Amino acid sequence: MLIVQKFGGTSVGDLERIQNVANRISKTLNEGNDVVAVVSAMSGETNKLVGYAEHFSKTPMRAEVDMLLSSGERVTASLLSIALNEMGHNALSMSGRAAGIITDDVHTKARIENIDPQYIHAEVKRGRVVVVAGFQGVSESGKITTLGRGGSDLSAVALAGALGAELCEIYTDVDGIYTTDPRIEPHAKKLNEISYDEMLELASLGAKVLQNRSVEMAKKLNVNLVTRSSFSDAEGTLITKEENIMEKPLVSGIALDRNQARISMSGVIDRPGIASDIFSALSEAEVNIDMIIQTSSKEGNTSIDFTVPSNELIDAKDVVKKFIDNDEIKEVSYDEGICKVSIVGVGMKSHTGVAAKAFKTMAVESININMISTSEIKVSMVIDEKYAELAVRSLHAIYELEK
Ligand code: ADP
Ligand code: ASP
Ligand code: MG
């Protein structure tokens, strides 16, 4: 069968580990499978390159950032291909462009618009192992783009979908999806399976073990997705349709997102259409808004608070400034010392009291909740960042997730 195997930063973190990855691919090939590998940059490499760019500018041109960052993945792809050839396999590496990954032109967080799998298909048919540089594509105008941090997961899932691969394995430094980040709660339990929807919520709410867009894509294309460790042979976690899941616990997991910032606008002129104007402008600037709270209006003014990913705060500030300059917002303050903790579970659809239990847990720990948002399968709370780990551990205990 055709298997797409993706190896994350830690899995290709040094030369010995790249050899280890080559050995694993070799084993899969020798078992009679075809393999398309997708690789990340060596761990720390992307951050290092970001740092280089920021040495020269706080707001480097995004197209240049993409040109720079995409190089990290190309280094690993070619090294892995060299290692595989040395082992007697017929391997070749491809950039995102060569792999036919076409994106829009929103640099540093481009969306995949189309994949033309013919180049990879042709090579696989000739018995070759293709090693694709993850995290990148090419825009219609021929410029290199990147898919947002953690985007190699998306490269792998999208390729698995386009190639009609039977399986997409995401190899990382933990042996599956846990009830929460095992680095925060050592009692976290590994899940054998989880639904696309729950995984999508966990990933969107901060569990970086899978990039959220990759899960969205896996659901859309119905890709068989497994997360597992590149350092052991332990069975991983299957991410699949809800109807395939045997156990449906009330709460499946807790996510933590530290990369959140809050924007509090007061003295916002209360006229019909103001919220639409502000949030349309933010959307045009490609700022992702999460929670929004508007308080009731007093003397023709209102207050609106909302949260954005920390790395989009600069862009959000630019947008808000225009409304201040137009006298439509009086004051604004920014808070980067917040985080968001969330509880996720499809079981919540049919049970009440899950949210109340979470709020009570925060009360018992004397943690003040700043903002709340809920959906059918999640409850999120914005709290002071210094309580992040305490909140995760208390919630993990109260819902008995270690059992
Ligand atoms: P890679 O470099 O392989 O893409 P990442 O660092 O992006 O790996 O993701 C793996 C990390 O995700 C783990 O080391 C773990 O700390 C973190 N993580 C967060 N939430 C979870 C969770 N629920 N289950 C497993 N790992 C999680
Ligand atoms: N190297 C990129 C990052 O660090 C992409 C990835 O690892 O998935 O975000
Ligand atoms: Mg990752």
Side-chain angles (χ1 to χ4, degrees):
M1 62 180 180
L2 174 62
I3 308 179
V4 171
Q5 297 187 321
K6 179 258 173 178
F7 299 91
T10 321
S11 310
V12 293
D14 58 34
L15 302 181
E16 201 181 312
R17 286 180 174 183
I18 292 176
Q19 183 62 57
N20 179 42
V21 165
N23 297 345
R24 189 176 283 275
I25 294 173
S26 176
K27 188 163 164 257
T28 313
L29 291 166
N30 292 339
E31 285 163 0
N33 303 293
D34 289 322
V35 174
V36 171
V38 175
V39 288
S40 286
M42 294 161 92
S43 58
E45 203 57 31
T46 308
N47 286 342
K48 191 179 91 186
L49 295 171
V50 169
Y52 286 171
E54 287 177 349
H55 173 80
F56 298 104
S57 165
K58 269 213 164 70
T59 50
M61 285 120 81
R62 295 211 173 138
E64 295 304 335
V65 172
D66 279 351
M67 181 74 183
L68 177 69
L69 298 193
S70 62
S71 68
E73 267 65 15
R74 291 212 301 274
V75 170
T76 6
S78 46
L79 290 175
L80 179 56
S81 171
I82 292 169
L84 283 164
N85 278 291
E86 191 61 23
M87 293 172 81
H89 296 291
N90 195 348
L92 87 161
S93 65
M94 286 188 187
S95 66
R97 180 203 300 261
I101 301 177
I102 315 294
T103 72
D104 63 15
D105 59 4
V106 182
H107 286 283
T108 73
K109 46 183 169 182
R111 282 185 175 272
I112 296 180
E113 289 191 330
N114 187 28
I115 294 189
D116 182 354
Q118 60 168 325
Y119 315 104
I120 299 186
H121 260 316
E123 296 297 350
V124 171
K125 264 212 190 106
R126 291 171 57 203
R128 303 184 85 177
V129 194
V130 179
V131 184
V132 181
F135 180 50
Q136 56 187 280
V138 63
S139 68
E140 297 286 3
S141 60
K143 289 193 142 177
I144 292 185
T145 53
T146 63
L147 309 176
R149 295 305 302 269
S152 298
D153 295 334
L154 177 60
S155 310
V157 171
L159 281 171
L163 294 165
E166 272 89 354
L167 180 63
C168 180
E169 293 181 314
I170 307 286
Y171 285 90
T172 182
D173 56 3
V174 280
D175 55 10
I177 311 297
Y178 280 71
T179 47
T180 193
D181 189 340
R183 293 182 209 285
I184 296 177
E185 173 50 272
H187 296 115
K189 213 182 112 193
K190 189 169 95 184
L191 301 165
N192 293 324
E193 48 188 18
I194 185 168
S195 68
Y196 290 125
D197 289 330
E198 287 170 303
M199 191 61 234
L200 181 56
E201 287 287 1
L202 285 174
S204 303
L205 294 167
K208 72 163 184 167
V209 59
L210 283 176
Q211 191 218 29
N212 59 351
R213 285 201 205 157
S214 72
V215 185
E216 203 172 31
M217 182 78 81
K219 183 184 174 191
K220 194 169 111 194
L221 304 179
N222 214 348
V223 171
N224 273 318
L225 192 60
V226 170
T227 307
R228 52 189 303 187
S229 168
S230 56
F231 304 111
S232 82
D233 286 323
E235 248 180 70
T237 301
L238 172 69
I239 298 119
T240 184
K241 287 188 200 157
E242 192 180 326
E243 52 263 38
N244 297 342
I245 306 267
M246 302 294 206
E247 279 177 68
K248 291 201 176 71
L250 189 57
V251 171
S252 298
I254 316 273
L256 169 65
D257 189 349
R258 296 177 193 273
N259 295 316
Q260 289 279 311
R262 170 171 154 172
I263 300 178
S264 308
M265 308 181 292
S266 55
V268 181
I269 184 163
D270 202 8
R271 60 158 173 86
I274 182 71
S276 158
D277 290 350
I278 297 173
F279 291 106
S280 302
L282 287 161
S283 151
E284 256 161 53
E286 305 289 343
V287 175
N288 288 295
I289 311 295
D290 184 24
M291 292 191 200
I292 304 175
I293 291 183
Q294 174 167 2
T295 53
S296 57
S297 169
K298 255 191 237 145
E299 292 153 15
N301 283 323
T302 183
S303 297
I304 303 177
D305 285 18
F306 61 97
T307 57
V308 298
S310 307
N311 62 352
E312 295 178 13
L313 183 59
I314 292 194
D315 292 337
K317 279 183 180 174
D318 278 349
V319 171
V320 171
K321 189 171 173 299
K322 291 192 187 116
F323 288 87
I324 294 179
D325 293 346
N326 280 344
D327 288 329
E328 296 199 291
I329 297 172
K330 268 203 199 86
E331 267 174 57
V332 61
S333 64
Y334 306 98
D335 186 356
E336 289 188 79
I338 58 158
C339 69
K340 181 170 67 186
V341 269
S342 310
I343 342 167
V344 172
V346 283
M348 282 185 218
K349 281 186 201 172
S350 48
H351 284 78
T352 54
V354 177
K357 202 168 180 176
F359 304 151
K360 181 147 188 243
T361 308
M362 295 299 102
V364 168
E365 300 292 348
S366 302
I367 300 173
N368 191 35
I369 306 171
N370 299 144
M371 294 169 117
I372 296 170
S373 82
T374 62
S375 80
E376 244 192 338
I377 64 165
K378 71 124 202 252
V379 178
S380 294
M381 298 169 284
V382 167
I383 59 171
D384 197 325
E385 194 173 15
K386 67 174 181 259
Y387 298 120
E389 308 210 332
L390 174 63
V392 169
R393 290 198 199 107
S394 329
L395 290 167
H396 198 268
I398 203 81
Y399 294 109
E400 301 185 334
L401 297 184
E402 74 286 354
K403 287 197 183 140

